[in-house]
Every structure is written in C-alpha cells, then in structure tokens.
Amino acid sequence: MRLAHWDTERDEALHSELAAIGVQVKLVEPGIVDTDFAGRSFDFSNDESLAEYQEFVGAFLTAQGQIAAAGDKPEVVAETVYRAATDGTDQLRYPAGPYATELIAHRAATDDATFVEGVRKQFGV
C-alpha cells in the first residue's frame, strides 16, 4: 500500500496485462491513518548539534502529530481491503476512507510543483 499514488499509466497497464493471464490487480489507497505508526516509526535520536536540521525536525514533528490525529480509522482501511478482495468486480482503485478520497482528489487537481510546494509548506521545509 502507498500513501498516495501517482503512477496511473503503470497501474492501468499492470491491471490490463495481468488480467490477460487471470491475475487481478487492485489498489487500496489509504490516506493518513490514525494509528501509532507515526510515533513508532519516527522515533529517532535527534542530534541537536546539527543545527541546520533543527527547524525541519521541529516543524516535521509538529505537522506529523496534527496529521495523524486527523486521519481515517484503521478499520476503514481494513474494510476497504476486504471489499476490494471480495466484491467480484474488475475495479482497480479503492480509496480507503474520506481522508484518502480528499487527498487523491487534491492530488489529481494539482500539478506536481504546486502539490510538492504544499507538502513542503505543511512540513515547514
């Protein structure tokens, strides 16, 4: 699974090519999910003597906490995975929850430079 997903042509090609040999490809696209993953995976030893990184570290940790608290519940992702695996359709994409749907729509409506700049602003980099 990926946080967000931009390689549309590759995914559609894989979906079509593997269907010819009986393999189904389905993409579950979660957004931010409200779990403790961010806390555990971002545990690190911050070397405060590396002054040039301290502004980024502070901004990132602040944003990371705000984003995780606003995310979709893990059960939403689990339900989406189950639906994708059992719905009997040839559907390719399954956004997992309202946050994911909003993120995917925002990404689709934005060019690369604007999207990257928004992420940079959000994380203070």
Side-chain angles (χ1 to χ4, degrees):
M1 285 191 233
R2 295 183 238 172
L3 170 65
H5 185 343
W6 324 133
D7 198 345
T8 301
E9 286 117 17
R10 184 188 66 210
D11 297 335
E12 291 171 354
L14 186 65
H15 182 252
S16 297
E17 291 168 11
L18 292 179
I21 60 170
V23 176
Q24 266 191 323
V25 173
K26 295 192 174 201
L27 303 173
V28 174
E29 301 178 300
I32 302 298
V33 180
D34 184 12
T35 68
D36 69 342
F37 173 79
R40 288 182 289 125
S41 65
F42 293 123
D43 283 345
F44 67 96
S45 177
N46 181 26
D47 184 349
E48 293 181 10
S49 69
L50 298 172
E52 61 274 11
Y53 291 102
Q54 297 315 302
E55 185 177 347
F56 169 76
V57 169
F60 181 78
L61 291 175
T62 298
Q64 166 252 325
Q66 294 167 345
I67 292 169
D72 294 320
K73 297 294 178 202
E75 296 82 5
V76 171
V77 178
E79 290 165 2
T80 305
V81 169
Y82 181 80
R83 188 175 80 250
T86 62
D87 68 3
T89 72
D90 194 31
Q91 180 176 332
L92 173 59
R93 287 186 171 70
Y94 294 79
Y99 192 89
T101 301
E102 180 182 322
L103 179 63
I104 292 166
H106 174 68
R107 180 61 185 103
T110 307
D111 62 74
D112 291 343
T114 303
F115 184 77
V116 170
E117 183 60 27
V119 170
R120 291 180 59 130
K121 283 181 182 176
Q122 185 172 21
F123 289 102
V125 294

